[in-house]
Amino acid sequence: MIKDNAQGWEHLVKLGLLFPNVMQEEREEDLAKNKPKNKWIEVPVAEFITSSEIEKQAGEMEIYLRGSEGLYWKKGIVIKGVVIRAKN
């Protein structure tokens, strides 16, 4: 949720997944543009495919959100949780 008093989100942020084998899936997102304020929204991070090859490299997966350029302070975002679900 982006709060009414949010600041700093006009700069792109990077959303990504870091897999146990150090493979990384990453994309940039503009969280200020055309996003409703004070309402829960879903922001897709990445898509990945499981396979027997990936299962051999089992471990922890890291999900992240970080600034993509410069050191801009940000405030006013609430993250309720992370959902990993199958794509239909």
Side-chain angles (χ1 to χ4, degrees):
M1 177 187 323
I2 306 290
K3 306 291 269 179
D4 276 334
N5 65 345
Q7 293 179 346
W9 298 102
E10 59 277 358
H11 302 282
L12 294 175
V13 294
K14 290 185 181 184
L15 302 161
L17 294 175
L18 184 61
F19 298 94
N21 63 354
V22 192
M23 186 177 78
Q24 186 172 338
E25 184 75 28
E26 184 176 81
R27 69 181 197 83
E28 290 186 321
E29 174 82 24
D30 184 342
L31 292 178
K33 194 175 194 177
N34 301 322
K35 300 285 192 265
K37 302 282 188 205
N38 293 316
K39 294 189 182 207
W40 291 112
I41 59 172
E42 287 190 15
V43 180
V45 174
E47 292 182 7
F48 63 96
I49 298 172
T50 59
S51 71
S52 59
E53 196 60 35
I54 291 174
E55 289 172 10
K56 293 177 187 173
Q57 301 168 5
E60 292 184 13
M61 180 172 53
E62 196 174 306
I63 301 170
Y64 61 87
L65 177 151
R66 64 175 169 231
S68 64
E69 50 184 74
L71 298 174
Y72 298 102
W73 287 96
K74 298 177 180 353
K75 74 173 194 171
I77 190 171
V78 180
I79 298 174
K80 186 176 183 179
V82 174
V83 177
I84 298 172
R85 64 175 155 237
K87 183 177 178 181
N88 294 334

